[in-house]
């Protein structure tokens, strides 16, 4: 992306003033903002309006790394002993020209770099082992591809030889022809067995690759947690809203659900009784406030040039894999039973946030740089 992208999830409050925090994190920093209702997604939000207050920190959000205290240590200088390896950057090997998401071949060719970045993310030993398994499987895959191709070549040569021998023998099946046919059949069986093993390896490699986090950008500082984030830029005044509303130093703002409950419009017990955990029903002025805030966000974004979208709320497994929700977060998603609905033969899921259908609107497309940025805004439940 040529410009930053932000997402606001389920913003709800008793005031219409908006405060946007755009953060990047240290190599293990984690941050998220969730609410029990709604999702408003905006891309490339402008920073010119005086109503926005924000801070920018250097780094990368790592929502995939383990929080185990027994995780691996950061990369050290020992990792860069080979002259062919890139230099250390922020206590890990530089990513150099590698993309943030690598395939099996790139991982195998650059395993020290990948392991260095995983250690910088404080990845669990299992994650490091997955990367090493991918490299081993890819090496086996290369050998098997050569073996399959050799078997197919033998089969093809034998088939051609059988044709010539049949012509020479005027259709009589001699012992030599039977021998060549047997050799062709054996080579074909060998190619089929090898192809089955290749399919197994491909499936396992893809599953392991899907479990790995992206490589870090070289500018991301090394750190154990978000306390080591580095602020690189700041704009706006974080004290502007309290001053405008006359808050005293002793005043403590309430969470949005506490505000809603105090207004008598937050009904969690009845919602849980009918729908289970993670649901709530809003009533009266709180319900109207939610609708008003949602409309305000969409109208504001549209006025800034964003295209409003009303996307599908059900997507396929492939769509969620493309945006990295699967396989890691499958247990957190709402899956639709196949007897009820499938997406073109695939498992169907309710979307977690609007980013999934928005991103997949351009899945498989090659976007021209002149057409960027593409800016959308959307409200989803």
């Amino acid at each position: 992306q040529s410009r930053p992208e932000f997402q606001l999830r389920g913003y709800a409050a008793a005031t219409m003033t908006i405060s946007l925090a755009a953060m990047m994190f240290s190599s293990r920093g984690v941050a998220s903002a969730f609410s029990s209702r709604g999702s408003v997604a905006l891309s490339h939000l402008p920073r010119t309006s005086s109503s926005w207050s924000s801070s920018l920190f250097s780094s990368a959000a790592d929502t995939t790394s383990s929080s185990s205290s027994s995780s691996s240590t950061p990369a050290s200088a020992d990792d860069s002993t080979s002259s062919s390896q890139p230099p250390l950057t922020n206590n890990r090997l530089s990513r150099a020209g590698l993309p943030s998401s690598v395939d099996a071949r790139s991982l195998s060719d650059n395993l020290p770099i990948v392991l260095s970045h995983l250690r910088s993310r404080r990845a669990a030993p299992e994650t490091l082992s997955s990367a090493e398994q991918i490299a081993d499987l890819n090496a086996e895959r290369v050998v098997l591809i050569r073996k399959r191709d050799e078997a197919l070549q033998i089969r093809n040569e034998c088939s051609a030889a059988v044709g010539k021998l049949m012509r020479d023998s005027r259709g009589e099946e001699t012992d030599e022809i039977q021998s060549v046919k047997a050799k062709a059949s054996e080579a074909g069986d060998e190619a089929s067995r090898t192809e089955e093993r290749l399919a197994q390896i491909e499936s396992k490699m893809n599953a392991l690759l899907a479990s790995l986090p992206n490589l870090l950008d070289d500018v991301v500082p090394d750190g154990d947690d978000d306390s080591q984030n580095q602020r690189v830029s700041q704009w706006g005044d974080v004290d502007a809203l309290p001053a405008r509303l006359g808050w005293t130093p002793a005043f403590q703002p309430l969470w949005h659900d506490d505000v809603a409950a105090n207004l008598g419009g937050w009904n969690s017990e009845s919602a849980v009784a009918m729908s289970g955990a993670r649901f709530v029903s809003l009533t009266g002025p709180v319900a109207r406030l939610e609708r008003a805030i949602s409309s305000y966000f969409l109208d504001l974004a549209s006025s800034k040039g964003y295209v409003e979208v009303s996307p599908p709320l059900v997507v396929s497994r492939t769509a969620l894999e493309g945006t990295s929700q699967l396989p890691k977060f499958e247990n957190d998603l709402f899956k639709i039973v196949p007897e009820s609905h499938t997406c073109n033969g695939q498992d169907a899921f309710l979307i977690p946030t609007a980013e999934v259908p928005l991103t997949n609107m351009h899945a498989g497309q090659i976007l021209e740089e002149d057409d960027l940025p593409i800016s959308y805004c959307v409200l989803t439940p």
Side-chain angles (χ1 to χ4, degrees), residues 180-316:
V180 175
K181 280 186 174 181
K183 186 177 180 180
S185 178
E186 181 181 350
D189 292 341
E190 178 68 21
S192 296
R193 289 192 297 269
T194 305
E195 192 66 48
E196 290 178 3
R197 176 57 183 158
L198 279 170
Q200 294 172 356
I201 289 177
E202 289 280 1
S203 177
K204 187 170 184 179
M205 282 198 307
N206 289 336
L208 291 171
L209 280 168
S211 69
L212 297 182
N214 287 346
L215 302 184
L216 297 166
D217 192 283
D218 285 346
V219 302
V220 177
D222 187 51
D224 291 322
D225 52 43
D226 57 7
S227 66
Q228 294 175 290
N229 292 344
Q230 298 177 12
R231 178 179 294 176
V232 297
S233 180
Q234 179 175 333
W235 66 97
D237 182 3
V238 296
D239 297 320
L241 177 63
R244 193 168 75 184
L245 298 181
W247 292 354
T248 65
F251 177 77
Q252 292 294 325
L254 297 177
W255 288 98
H256 66 274
D257 50 349
D258 292 328
V259 173
N262 290 342
L263 292 173
W266 178 273
N267 304 294
S268 59
E269 293 184 4
S270 60
V272 169
M274 72 176 85
S275 304
R278 299 164 62 180
F279 289 95
V280 67
S281 61
L282 304 181
T283 59
V286 177
R288 292 196 298 273
L289 176 62
E290 180 190 45
R291 173 163 50 86
I293 291 177
S294 300
S295 296
Y296 175 75
F297 271 120
L298 292 173
D299 291 343
L300 177 64
S302 297
S303 70
K304 301 295 184 179
Y306 292 78
V307 177
E308 184 173 347
V309 178
S310 179
L313 304 183
V314 176
V315 293
S316 67

